[in-house]
Amino acid sequence: MKFDVLTLFPEMFEPLKQSIIKRATEKQIIDINLINIRDFSEDKHNKVDDTPYGGGAGMLMKPDVVDRAYNSVKSKNAKVIYLTPQGKRLNQEKVKELSKEEHLILLCGHYEGIDQRVIDKIVDEEISIGDYVLTGGEIPAMVLIDSVSRYVEGVLSNESTDEESFANGLLEYPQYTRPEIFNNEKVPEVLISGHHENIKNWRREKALENTFRKRPELLENIALTDKEKSYIEKLKKEVQ
Ligand code: 4GY
């Protein structure tokens, strides 16, 4: 999968040169190409921004410069995403959907934003990572690349995306490793028993409990068995 990132600050993307994403890049499963929008200024001072018509604070990125940067990477099958608080909120379902694309072009705004005409011309989809304002789209672009890459075949070694938070619409069950006793607390007995059916049932119950206690609104959107529903009812009575 190819990611082209249009940004004024390519140096901000160092975090993607570590760990799992670094390995996926080396294995050529993903390709992250950073394009410095400033390289496409034709001005003698390499100007990339200008004041807003109508007045107001700050500077806007110039449409002609952004458009030339886009033209240097565009392809027929690319999807162009603008990272902005005005976009649709990123969630795990959207992440999975994007992992099926072959070419994503991520447009990062900075300062007060980008001239609307080039947004209208080149952007297919606006995505937000949450309801707060950052200084630029670079961190959101990294969030998108990291989360989407995990779903690209071969990036994670095993089936680690199958059982994690949100894979089944629930939060994850708690996990434990050695030592068997830490801080006077023993690892739950069932996990040491080797009884796979019991372990599976315990984990499902803990995932339900975790979700009920921390993110109860997530339970609205998933199908539960009658047994699971009555377990939730039992937890509700406990908190009353
Ligand atoms: N939140 N989700 C976000 C953001 C910064 C000025 C446009 C967000 O996605 N992007 O806060 N972006 C602004 C900065 C230009 C993007």
Side-chain angles (χ1 to χ4, degrees):
M1 164 160 213
K2 177 156 196 188
F3 298 96
D4 281 310
V5 185
L6 307 177
T7 173
L8 287 174
F9 299 94
E11 319 78 32
M12 284 183 72
F13 290 80
E14 288 300 308
L16 298 179
K17 296 169 186 171
Q18 315 285 330
S19 180
I20 295 169
I21 303 301
K22 177 188 184 187
R23 234 179 307 129
T25 305
E26 287 168 352
K27 288 203 274 179
Q28 299 184 19
I29 301 165
I30 60 170
D31 177 16
I32 304 168
N33 185 27
L34 304 174
I35 297 97
N36 190 342
I37 294 171
R38 193 173 295 278
D39 293 345
F40 296 86
S41 172
E42 292 181 350
D43 180 85
K44 65 172 184 289
H45 298 108
N46 279 344
K47 195 175 160 68
V48 293
D49 56 1
D50 209 335
T51 54
Y53 278 111
M59 301 291 270
L60 292 174
M61 290 165 67
K62 289 165 59 58
D64 51 326
V65 182
V66 171
D67 191 41
R68 281 193 295 273
Y70 164 69
N71 283 333
S72 77
V73 296
K74 70 181 173 190
S75 77
K76 251 208 143 60
N77 42 38
K79 172 169 262 183
V80 181
I81 296 172
Y82 180 41
L83 287 311
T84 165
Q86 296 185 25
K88 213 174 143 219
R89 194 76 145 267
L90 186 65
N91 59 25
Q92 198 68 352
E93 187 188 335
K94 188 75 200 173
V95 163
K96 257 189 236 185
E97 190 184 306
L98 290 174
S99 71
K100 312 281 182 264
E101 297 285 336
E102 65 175 80
H103 186 192
L104 294 180
I105 299 175
L106 307 181
L107 175 58
C108 303
H110 222 92
Y111 314 116
E112 298 309 307
I114 306 180
D115 183 290
Q116 188 61 41
R117 292 165 295 180
V118 71
I119 296 173
D120 294 343
K121 180 181 175 207
I122 73 174
V123 171
D124 295 309
E125 198 169 339
E126 297 187 338
I127 292 181
S128 165
I129 65 161
D131 291 339
Y132 37 78
V133 183
L134 303 169
T135 58
E138 284 78 11
I139 291 171
M142 284 189 267
V143 167
L144 190 146
I145 292 169
D146 189 275
S147 57
V148 168
S149 295
R150 295 178 72 256
Y151 275 96
V152 176
E153 180 80 36
V155 171
L156 299 185
S157 50
N158 41 18
E159 308 83 32
S160 23
T161 55
D162 296 354
E163 298 212 333
E164 66 190 359
S165 288
F166 300 116
N168 50 16
L170 296 175
L171 301 185
E172 237 180 293
Y173 48 79
Q175 301 196 82
Y176 303 86
T177 187
R178 277 185 279 274
E180 205 171 309
I181 299 170
F182 167 72
N183 198 222
N184 268 326
E185 290 275 7
K186 206 167 174 301
V187 170
E189 204 60 52
V190 61
L191 300 179
I192 299 163
S193 69
H195 192 307
H196 299 300
E197 180 73 7
N198 287 354
I199 291 172
K200 187 169 153 269
N201 292 336
W202 181 89
R203 284 178 167 169
R204 177 76 183 178
E205 197 163 279
K206 287 294 177 184
L208 284 166
E209 181 185 343
N210 244 347
T211 309
F212 172 74
R213 294 196 196 286
K214 298 178 179 175
R215 298 287 307 279
E217 75 279 11
L218 295 177
L219 292 172
E220 313 286 312
N221 312 318
I222 60 160
L224 299 177
T225 65
D226 287 346
K227 200 159 166 242
E228 289 170 340
K229 283 179 198 158
S230 59
Y231 178 62
I232 298 293
E233 289 310 312
K234 192 189 92 175
L235 293 174
K236 275 186 192 165
K237 287 189 185 115
E238 280 174 21
V239 293
Q240 271 172 14

